[in-house]
Amino acid sequence: MSGLSVQSLCFTYGAKQALDGVSFDVAPGEFCALLGPNGAGKSTLMSLLTRLFTTQQGRIRGAGHDLARTPRKALAQIGVVFQQTTLDLDLSVYRNLSYFAALHGISGREAHDRIMAALERLDMADRAHERARDLNGGHRRRTEIARCLIHRPSVLLLDEPTVGLDAAARRAITDHVHDLTSTEGLTVLWATHLSDEVRDSDRLIVLHQGRILADGNCGALRGPTPLPDYFLTLTGASA
Amino acid sequence: MTAYLTALYAITLREALRFTRQRGRFVAALVRPLVWLVVFAAGFRAALGLSITPPYQTYITYDIYIVPGLCGMIVLFNGMQSSLSLVYDREMGSMRLLLTSPLPRWWLLTCRLIASTVISCFQVYTFLAIAALYGITFPLLGYIAVLPALVLAGVMLGALGLALSSTISQLENFAGVMNFVIFPMFFLSSALYPLWKMAESSALLHDICALNPFTHAVEVIRFALYAQTNWTAAGWTCLAGAVLMGLALWGYDPARGLLQRKG
């Protein structure tokens, strides 16, 4: 299948086991929430999925391409929003996006058209020439999401993209990304520790201490129990 | 190929924009060698006698001798500045953007190297223009011939900066680079005094200076300013550049490098 496939992933920092036999598949067009408390291994997993780290054991396929064997083909199909902002705050929104486009080999008229289309999709077109430093946290995040769409990826990876945002901005961004799965057919892996960002219709993976504790449809998994309680019960019991 | 050049243009433009924003960096890059030229060289002009050694064909004053070394100093400091900005980028997160590009990592790092070298060349030519106003001039052909020499020195010292940046885990550790890399490289070289002068004081120090790749970078620049080529120095500079670039690529390899060790 295309989308995202992770098989038997293990990763250690010295003696500390950060990921232990993590396996899951995310189908094309699916919104998958990776829910886990701080230190669960989400950021390590994201670093492996983006090839900032290489796998010690296991296999990752992004949009059908093996990340270890054909990393360039896989990375060309993956869009990433990191937990920490990666905007150059002294450049304008437009220049940040054109820099990114160039890193993917896109330039000239094509880059301009894609940048403007991505900004319009995120309601940021009127801020194209503002300095990134002058944007609020929510708009910076929207800029980063717009940026990761420029090379038309089929898989989006977002590592706690709403950290530090107010409730309205968080809602707007989660809505935008959910829309991308339904309108563009993008595969989304959304890492978070905030259970209110997950909808019942979403696929839910609960990661704790480097292992997957639950994997399935969120509504089906939690049943009548509110998701925060379900999550706390699950992670508390195994702690 | 177009994708590669597109990335090169974008990375160079970004570094140039960053450089123009940091006016203090540009002023410091010029003031530092000018202080050496105007103050230090003036003081030593009378004290230091220089015999005729290639590329010089007549007796020269100390301030003429020191200019190629100060050009090297600009390139050296800019290489370290580039290293500092790489560490900053890594701490601020924007390095991740570069490293997750589908273009090969060696090319992306080479682009950073080229961008840093372009800025070094601009700074050196500005310094040479001010030196000319001060009365220190070189043959016209020398101003053209020095460009490839500056590129060679810039790439070698930029590669040193890249290699260092892959081993420096925090911005705060950068002060150590000043003490343990820049100052020894600069003072244990032919930038301020010819190697034969150093040999008169200590054979050991002379040998250390002769092994220092910065010495060779300075000599490549010195000869080029007189439209000559010091092939031995050029060869050593190329070799040092290749080794340092190899170390930098190793340091930024996702399987072995710093990112993974830090977690």
mmCIF file with all atom_site columns, all heavy atoms in Angstrom, chain A residues 60-72:
data_model
loop_
_atom_site.group_PDB
_atom_site.id
_atom_site.type_symbol
_atom_site.label_atom_id
_atom_site.label_alt_id
_atom_site.label_comp_id
_atom_site.label_asym_id
_atom_site.label_entity_id
_atom_site.label_seq_id
_atom_site.pdbx_PDB_ins_code
_atom_site.Cartn_x
_atom_site.Cartn_y
_atom_site.Cartn_z
_atom_site.occupancy
_atom_site.B_iso_or_equiv
_atom_site.pdbx_formal_charge
_atom_site.auth_seq_id
_atom_site.auth_comp_id
_atom_site.auth_asym_id
_atom_site.auth_atom_id
_atom_site.pdbx_PDB_model_num
ATOM 1  N N   . ILE A 1 60 ? 10.700 1.485  7.196  1.00 0.00 ? 60 ILE A N   1
ATOM 2  C CA  . ILE A 1 60 ? 9.728  2.566  6.996  1.00 0.00 ? 60 ILE A CA  1
ATOM 3  C C   . ILE A 1 60 ? 9.508  2.738  5.495  1.00 0.00 ? 60 ILE A C   1
ATOM 4  O O   . ILE A 1 60 ? 10.475 2.803  4.724  1.00 0.00 ? 60 ILE A O   1
ATOM 5  C CB  . ILE A 1 60 ? 10.249 3.894  7.591  1.00 0.00 ? 60 ILE A CB  1
ATOM 6  C CG1 . ILE A 1 60 ? 10.451 3.770  9.102  1.00 0.00 ? 60 ILE A CG1 1
ATOM 7  C CG2 . ILE A 1 60 ? 9.285  5.043  7.283  1.00 0.00 ? 60 ILE A CG2 1
ATOM 8  C CD1 . ILE A 1 60 ? 11.236 4.913  9.717  1.00 0.00 ? 60 ILE A CD1 1
ATOM 9  N N   . ARG A 1 61 ? 8.256  2.840  5.101  1.00 0.00 ? 61 ARG A N   1
ATOM 10 C CA  . ARG A 1 61 ? 7.935  3.154  3.705  1.00 0.00 ? 61 ARG A CA  1
ATOM 11 C C   . ARG A 1 61 ? 7.026  4.372  3.693  1.00 0.00 ? 61 ARG A C   1
ATOM 12 O O   . ARG A 1 61 ? 6.017  4.413  4.399  1.00 0.00 ? 61 ARG A O   1
ATOM 13 C CB  . ARG A 1 61 ? 7.231  1.982  3.023  1.00 0.00 ? 61 ARG A CB  1
ATOM 14 C CG  . ARG A 1 61 ? 8.148  0.789  2.793  1.00 0.00 ? 61 ARG A CG  1
ATOM 15 C CD  . ARG A 1 61 ? 7.396  -0.387 2.203  1.00 0.00 ? 61 ARG A CD  1
ATOM 16 N NE  . ARG A 1 61 ? 7.049  -0.182 0.798  1.00 0.00 ? 61 ARG A NE  1
ATOM 17 C CZ  . ARG A 1 61 ? 7.881  -0.393 -0.211 1.00 0.00 ? 61 ARG A CZ  1
ATOM 18 N NH1 . ARG A 1 61 ? 9.100  -0.824 0.041  1.00 0.00 ? 61 ARG A NH1 1
ATOM 19 N NH2 . ARG A 1 61 ? 7.520  -0.197 -1.451 1.00 0.00 ? 61 ARG A NH2 1
ATOM 20 N N   . GLY A 1 62 ? 7.414  5.365  2.890  1.00 0.00 ? 62 GLY A N   1
ATOM 21 C CA  . GLY A 1 62 ? 6.595  6.563  2.738  1.00 0.00 ? 62 GLY A CA  1
ATOM 22 C C   . GLY A 1 62 ? 6.131  6.664  1.297  1.00 0.00 ? 62 GLY A C   1
ATOM 23 O O   . GLY A 1 62 ? 6.965  6.638  0.384  1.00 0.00 ? 62 GLY A O   1
ATOM 24 N N   . ALA A 1 63 ? 4.831  6.719  1.080  1.00 0.00 ? 63 ALA A N   1
ATOM 25 C CA  . ALA A 1 63 ? 4.249  6.775  -0.271 1.00 0.00 ? 63 ALA A CA  1
ATOM 26 C C   . ALA A 1 63 ? 4.811  5.657  -1.153 1.00 0.00 ? 63 ALA A C   1
ATOM 27 O O   . ALA A 1 63 ? 5.071  5.861  -2.346 1.00 0.00 ? 63 ALA A O   1
ATOM 28 C CB  . ALA A 1 63 ? 4.512  8.138  -0.902 1.00 0.00 ? 63 ALA A CB  1
ATOM 29 N N   . GLY A 1 64 ? 5.018  4.508  -0.565 1.00 0.00 ? 64 GLY A N   1
ATOM 30 C CA  . GLY A 1 64 ? 5.472  3.357  -1.341 1.00 0.00 ? 64 GLY A CA  1
ATOM 31 C C   . GLY A 1 64 ? 6.976  3.249  -1.498 1.00 0.00 ? 64 GLY A C   1
ATOM 32 O O   . GLY A 1 64 ? 7.470  2.276  -2.071 1.00 0.00 ? 64 GLY A O   1
ATOM 33 N N   . HIS A 1 65 ? 7.733  4.228  -0.992 1.00 0.00 ? 65 HIS A N   1
ATOM 34 C CA  . HIS A 1 65 ? 9.185  4.202  -1.152 1.00 0.00 ? 65 HIS A CA  1
ATOM 35 C C   . HIS A 1 65 ? 9.861  3.867  0.179  1.00 0.00 ? 65 HIS A C   1
ATOM 36 O O   . HIS A 1 65 ? 9.529  4.451  1.208  1.00 0.00 ? 65 HIS A O   1
ATOM 37 C CB  . HIS A 1 65 ? 9.701  5.552  -1.648 1.00 0.00 ? 65 HIS A CB  1
ATOM 38 C CG  . HIS A 1 65 ? 9.096  5.980  -2.943 1.00 0.00 ? 65 HIS A CG  1
ATOM 39 N ND1 . HIS A 1 65 ? 9.408  5.374  -4.138 1.00 0.00 ? 65 HIS A ND1 1
ATOM 40 C CD2 . HIS A 1 65 ? 8.174  6.932  -3.225 1.00 0.00 ? 65 HIS A CD2 1
ATOM 41 C CE1 . HIS A 1 65 ? 8.714  5.951  -5.108 1.00 0.00 ? 65 HIS A CE1 1
ATOM 42 N NE2 . HIS A 1 65 ? 7.949  6.894  -4.583 1.00 0.00 ? 65 HIS A NE2 1
ATOM 43 N N   . ASP A 1 66 ? 10.811 2.947  0.099  1.00 0.00 ? 66 ASP A N   1
ATOM 44 C CA  . ASP A 1 66 ? 11.549 2.545  1.297  1.00 0.00 ? 66 ASP A CA  1
ATOM 45 C C   . ASP A 1 66 ? 12.499 3.686  1.690  1.00 0.00 ? 66 ASP A C   1
ATOM 46 O O   . ASP A 1 66 ? 13.334 4.111  0.886  1.00 0.00 ? 66 ASP A O   1
ATOM 47 C CB  . ASP A 1 66 ? 12.346 1.267  1.011  1.00 0.00 ? 66 ASP A CB  1
ATOM 48 C CG  . ASP A 1 66 ? 12.943 0.682  2.277  1.00 0.00 ? 66 ASP A CG  1
ATOM 49 O OD1 . ASP A 1 66 ? 13.653 1.416  2.987  1.00 0.00 ? 66 ASP A OD1 1
ATOM 50 O OD2 . ASP A 1 66 ? 12.694 -0.503 2.566  1.00 0.00 ? 66 ASP A OD2 1
ATOM 51 N N   . LEU A 1 67 ? 12.364 4.155  2.930  1.00 0.00 ? 67 LEU A N   1
ATOM 52 C CA  . LEU A 1 67 ? 13.143 5.321  3.369  1.00 0.00 ? 67 LEU A CA  1
ATOM 53 C C   . LEU A 1 67 ? 14.636 5.016  3.461  1.00 0.00 ? 67 LEU A C   1
ATOM 54 O O   . LEU A 1 67 ? 15.460 5.906  3.294  1.00 0.00 ? 67 LEU A O   1
ATOM 55 C CB  . LEU A 1 67 ? 12.624 5.803  4.734  1.00 0.00 ? 67 LEU A CB  1
ATOM 56 C CG  . LEU A 1 67 ? 12.982 7.220  5.149  1.00 0.00 ? 67 LEU A CG  1
ATOM 57 C CD1 . LEU A 1 67 ? 12.476 8.246  4.155  1.00 0.00 ? 67 LEU A CD1 1
ATOM 58 C CD2 . LEU A 1 67 ? 12.437 7.526  6.535  1.00 0.00 ? 67 LEU A CD2 1
ATOM 59 N N   . ALA A 1 68 ? 14.993 3.767  3.701  1.00 0.00 ? 68 ALA A N   1
ATOM 60 C CA  . ALA A 1 68 ? 16.409 3.418  3.803  1.00 0.00 ? 68 ALA A CA  1
ATOM 61 C C   . ALA A 1 68 ? 17.022 3.207  2.417  1.00 0.00 ? 68 ALA A C   1
ATOM 62 O O   . ALA A 1 68 ? 18.158 3.584  2.173  1.00 0.00 ? 68 ALA A O   1
ATOM 63 C CB  . ALA A 1 68 ? 16.581 2.158  4.647  1.00 0.00 ? 68 ALA A CB  1
ATOM 64 N N   . ARG A 1 69 ? 16.251 2.617  1.515  1.00 0.00 ? 69 ARG A N   1
ATOM 65 C CA  . ARG A 1 69 ? 16.806 2.284  0.192  1.00 0.00 ? 69 ARG A CA  1
ATOM 66 C C   . ARG A 1 69 ? 16.672 3.420  -0.808 1.00 0.00 ? 69 ARG A C   1
ATOM 67 O O   . ARG A 1 69 ? 17.565 3.653  -1.614 1.00 0.00 ? 69 ARG A O   1
ATOM 68 C CB  . ARG A 1 69 ? 16.108 1.041  -0.360 1.00 0.00 ? 69 ARG A CB  1
ATOM 69 C CG  . ARG A 1 69 ? 16.491 -0.207 0.403  1.00 0.00 ? 69 ARG A CG  1
ATOM 70 C CD  . ARG A 1 69 ? 15.812 -1.421 -0.176 1.00 0.00 ? 69 ARG A CD  1
ATOM 71 N NE  . ARG A 1 69 ? 16.049 -2.602 0.643  1.00 0.00 ? 69 ARG A NE  1
ATOM 72 C CZ  . ARG A 1 69 ? 15.422 -3.734 0.493  1.00 0.00 ? 69 ARG A CZ  1
ATOM 73 N NH1 . ARG A 1 69 ? 14.504 -3.862 -0.443 1.00 0.00 ? 69 ARG A NH1 1
ATOM 74 N NH2 . ARG A 1 69 ? 15.686 -4.759 1.269  1.00 0.00 ? 69 ARG A NH2 1
ATOM 75 N N   . THR A 1 70 ? 15.552 4.089  -0.801 1.00 0.00 ? 70 THR A N   1
ATOM 76 C CA  . THR A 1 70 ? 15.339 5.195  -1.750 1.00 0.00 ? 70 THR A CA  1
ATOM 77 C C   . THR A 1 70 ? 14.882 6.436  -0.980 1.00 0.00 ? 70 THR A C   1
ATOM 78 O O   . THR A 1 70 ? 13.735 6.887  -1.121 1.00 0.00 ? 70 THR A O   1
ATOM 79 C CB  . THR A 1 70 ? 14.297 4.817  -2.817 1.00 0.00 ? 70 THR A CB  1
ATOM 80 O OG1 . THR A 1 70 ? 13.122 4.320  -2.166 1.00 0.00 ? 70 THR A OG1 1
ATOM 81 C CG2 . THR A 1 70 ? 14.826 3.789  -3.782 1.00 0.00 ? 70 THR A CG2 1
ATOM 82 N N   . PRO A 1 71 ? 15.785 6.978  -0.138 1.00 0.00 ? 71 PRO A N   1
ATOM 83 C CA  . PRO A 1 71 ? 15.367 8.088  0.739  1.00 0.00 ? 71 PRO A CA  1
ATOM 84 C C   . PRO A 1 71 ? 14.918 9.338  -0.022 1.00 0.00 ? 71 PRO A C   1
ATOM 85 O O   . PRO A 1 71 ? 13.991 10.015 0.406  1.00 0.00 ? 71 PRO A O   1
ATOM 86 C CB  . PRO A 1 71 ? 16.636 8.373  1.565  1.00 0.00 ? 71 PRO A CB  1
ATOM 87 C CG  . PRO A 1 71 ? 17.764 7.777  0.798  1.00 0.00 ? 71 PRO A CG  1
ATOM 88 C CD  . PRO A 1 71 ? 17.195 6.617  0.055  1.00 0.00 ? 71 PRO A CD  1
ATOM 89 N N   . ARG A 1 72 ? 15.557 9.603  -1.157 1.00 0.00 ? 72 ARG A N   1
ATOM 90 C CA  . ARG A 1 72 ? 15.211 10.839 -1.868 1.00 0.00 ? 72 ARG A CA  1
ATOM 91 C C   . ARG A 1 72 ? 13.806 10.760 -2.433 1.00 0.00 ? 72 ARG A C   1
ATOM 92 O O   . ARG A 1 72 ? 13.054 11.735 -2.403 1.00 0.00 ? 72 ARG A O   1
ATOM 93 C CB  . ARG A 1 72 ? 16.243 11.110 -2.963 1.00 0.00 ? 72 ARG A CB  1
ATOM 94 C CG  . ARG A 1 72 ? 17.604 11.470 -2.365 1.00 0.00 ? 72 ARG A CG  1
ATOM 95 C CD  . ARG A 1 72 ? 18.638 11.667 -3.424 1.00 0.00 ? 72 ARG A CD  1
ATOM 96 N NE  . ARG A 1 72 ? 18.231 12.677 -4.377 1.00 0.00 ? 72 ARG A NE  1
ATOM 97 C CZ  . ARG A 1 72 ? 18.811 12.855 -5.552 1.00 0.00 ? 72 ARG A CZ  1
ATOM 98 N NH1 . ARG A 1 72 ? 19.800 12.086 -5.922 1.00 0.00 ? 72 ARG A NH1 1
ATOM 99 N NH2 . ARG A 1 72 ? 18.397 13.816 -6.352 1.00 0.00 ? 72 ARG A NH2 1
#
